Amino acid sequence: DTLLTVYADSAAGKLMHAVGVSLIAGALTASLHPERPLGPVLVAGLMHDVGELYIDPAILGTTERLTPEQWRHVVAHPAIAAGLLRELPGAGSGIAQAVLQHHERLDGLGFPAGVGGGHWSSTGQVLAMAELMMEMLDASDRASAQARVSLKLMHTQFDRPLLDWVDRCCR
């Protein structure tokens, strides 16, 4: 609760992004895994970027190419968030694991661990897709068309059911 408040107050748009990721992740879960409770994925969506609180705001706000040192700080935010959430009442290890994996990709090109090959949780995959979709919504007025084109180019990075769901939603 307090952690989310501090995160939301750290910069304009943070709360809107977190809520958007949470709602998209909830919709994906309800559609693809109706047997699963929505609470954990909704909480994971809200809290997925709280690790950014530990990154220098100048790094997050830059439009310049990041140095390797700056990039190391950015890619650490999922691990930092997972560490914070693992023992937090109302969160726990399942939510922490999904948050840790929200930038992973099936092809191994994600971060922080470059897991790939489907060796990450389905909740982590749902959260990763929700994050990607929200980033596109945040960046473009034509997000629907952009999502469909982008996901055709990224077909190796997500499971087919997730890609099909996005394709149906973006028509």
Side-chain angles (χ1 to χ4, degrees):
D1 180 36
T2 302
L3 188 58
L4 182 59
T5 301
V6 172
Y7 170 73
D9 289 344
S10 69
K14 293 287 188 181
L15 183 59
M16 181 73 114
H17 175 80
V19 169
V21 170
S22 181
L23 293 174
I24 293 168
L28 276 165
T29 299
S31 179
L32 298 173
H33 307 289
E35 73 286 355
R36 293 189 187 163
L38 291 179
V41 75
L42 294 173
V43 171
L46 286 172
M47 305 298 281
H48 74 281
D49 275 340
V50 297
E52 289 181 358
L53 289 169
Y54 295 84
I55 300 173
D56 180 348
I59 294 172
L60 290 176
T62 187
T63 57
E64 305 288 319
R65 183 180 172 101
L66 297 178
T67 66
E69 176 74 14
Q70 291 170 323
W71 182 244
R72 277 192 292 281
H73 285 281
V74 171
V75 300
H77 85 269
I80 293 167
L84 292 168
L85 296 171
R86 192 166 283 111
E87 302 299 324
L88 192 69
S93 62
I95 289 170
Q97 179 185 24
V99 167
L100 177 66
Q101 298 171 341
H102 81 272
H103 282 293
E104 296 292 353
R105 299 295 184 261
L106 286 178
D107 61 7
L109 296 178
F111 64 86
V115 178
H119 299 288
W120 47 308
S121 71
S122 61
T123 304
Q125 291 182 48
V126 164
L127 196 58
M129 176 61 80
E131 166 82 357
L132 177 68
M133 291 188 69
M134 194 63 208
E135 285 175 4
M136 286 188 260
L137 288 168
D138 287 342
S140 172
D141 293 335
R142 297 180 20 203
S144 178
Q146 182 182 357
R148 290 177 61 214
V149 170
S150 295
L151 292 175
K152 285 180 182 172
L153 297 173
M154 300 168 54
H155 64 90
T156 62
Q157 295 187 8
F158 294 96
D159 274 346
R160 175 57 39 202
L162 288 171
L163 293 168
D164 291 344
W165 185 90
V166 172
D167 187 55
R168 284 191 307 273
C169 288
C170 292
R171 287 184 190 262

